[in-house]
Structure formats: structure tokens, C-alpha cells
Amino acid sequence: FIYDADGWILTNRHVVEGSDQLLVVLNDGREFAGEIYGIDTLTDLAIVKIDATDLPTAPIGTSADLESGQLAIAIGNPLGYENTVTTGVVSGLGRQIQASDATQSSAETLNNLIQTDAAINPGNSGGPLLNSAGQVIGVNTAVSTEAQGVGFAIPIDVAKPIMQQALDGLALERPWIGVYYIAIDPAL
């Protein structure tokens, strides 16, 4: 979804990673070539930039004061059905999941997620999760394949610093230290 009128888009890393080309199609039919500005590997978020101005934007809310039971609205293109809207509630907060791709060939742990029963399916990834005021409270990211009505979104407050870094022209980087540990046993 577009979060800044000058062509800044927030989506999921797993939606754009490995792409050779990105085509961004707006609701009014306009098409733009998209460029991956940056990827945040820790949160499964990505910023895409298109060369456009005066674009409609999604109003950004906050996820800090969410409560279980409040309305949640998911928007996306599940299974290729454009502009699909589903509703439910915030089912839980602070959830952790092990997310994997469709082939089960890679997995990652995602933390501090919003759980919702608003239908999230393949194609919803990167779309906004909204509150009853139409403000973005999360970024749809995963669905449980072992249950029905268990979807997850990255809280928008986690994304806000990443969104601001892009607007400030800063690279999306995470500190990394190449250290790993091994449990010491008596033989070692």
C-alpha cells in the first residue's frame, strides 16, 4: 500500500524479494515500474518506490493501543481477486510464528505479530490491516495452514521507523555481528 504521496509503498519482503521487475498497478488502472528501495530482513518488510507524485495514500494509525476484540479489516488480492476486503477482529497480540514459503524450503521466525480472524490468504501479503476508522494498524503477512481464521499482520508501529528511514533517504540496514554460539558439553 502507498504510505506517501510521492510514490513510497510498504509491502512484505517475501512479496518482492527475488523479483527481476516490479509492476505496480493502481486502483485507477495506472501502471508504474517499481524499484525495491530496501528490505528489512528482521521484520519481513520492504519498501518499494515508484516514480509518481500526488498519489492517494493509506492513512497510518497506531498499533500501540490495540485490544483483542476490536474490528480488523484486511485488504489485498487473495488468489488474484483484486481489491478484496475481509473483516474480523484482533484475536491476539504479541504473537510469534514460524513462517515458511509455499514450498516449505525456507522458514523464519516473526515476532510481535497481530493475530486476526479477518481472512488472510495468499495474495493478501503486503496489504493493509485497518481499524474501524480506516487507518492502517498492520501489514498482512502470514496465515496458518493448520487452522481456519488464523492470520497474522506486522504491527504498523514496527514499520513506522522503516518507513521514515526511506523518506529520509537512508538505507534500510540492520546491525549484524557475525557471531554464533555452540553449547559446550563435557566432551567439547
Side-chain angles (χ1 to χ4, degrees), residues 22-178:
L22 295 177
L23 177 66
V24 177
V25 181
L26 302 186
N27 198 37
D28 62 11
R30 290 183 288 167
E31 297 181 354
F32 298 92
E35 179 181 327
I36 300 172
Y37 179 83
I39 290 175
D40 184 60
T41 55
L42 186 62
T43 61
D44 189 34
L45 292 172
I47 302 289
V48 171
K49 179 73 170 87
I50 60 174
D51 188 18
T53 58
D54 199 29
L55 296 171
T57 61
I60 306 300
T62 182
S63 53
D65 55 358
L66 292 178
E67 294 183 16
S68 292
Q70 77 178 75
L71 181 67
I73 304 163
I75 298 178
N77 296 328
L79 308 173
Y81 297 114
E82 295 179 5
N83 303 315
T84 298
V85 178
T86 59
T87 61
V89 297
V90 172
S91 304
L93 299 166
R95 301 296 198 222
Q96 180 183 59
I97 62 166
Q98 190 74 18
S100 60
D101 62 15
T103 64
Q104 304 291 323
S105 63
S106 66
E108 63 183 316
T109 301
L110 297 175
N111 298 297
N112 193 33
L113 300 177
I114 301 166
Q115 179 186 337
T116 181
D117 67 346
I120 295 177
N121 294 291
N124 277 99
S125 291
L129 184 70
L130 309 171
N131 62 17
S132 60
Q135 300 166 327
V136 179
I137 57 171
V139 182
N140 303 327
T141 194
V143 62
S144 173
T145 57
E146 299 173 9
Q148 293 180 346
V150 181
F152 299 94
I154 301 161
I156 196 63
D157 290 349
V158 170
K160 283 179 182 178
I162 296 162
M163 296 158 62
Q164 190 59 51
Q165 273 183 283
L167 291 176
D168 292 342
L170 303 173
L172 302 187
E173 296 177 340
R174 288 275 181 186
W176 181 76
I177 185 168

Side-chain angles (χ1 to χ4, degrees), residues 11-20 22 36 38-39 46-48:
T11 189
N12 290 127
R13 173 199 50 79
H14 74 264
V15 169
V16 299
E17 193 170 59
S19 300
D20 292 330
L22 295 177
I36 300 172
I39 290 175
I47 302 289
V48 171

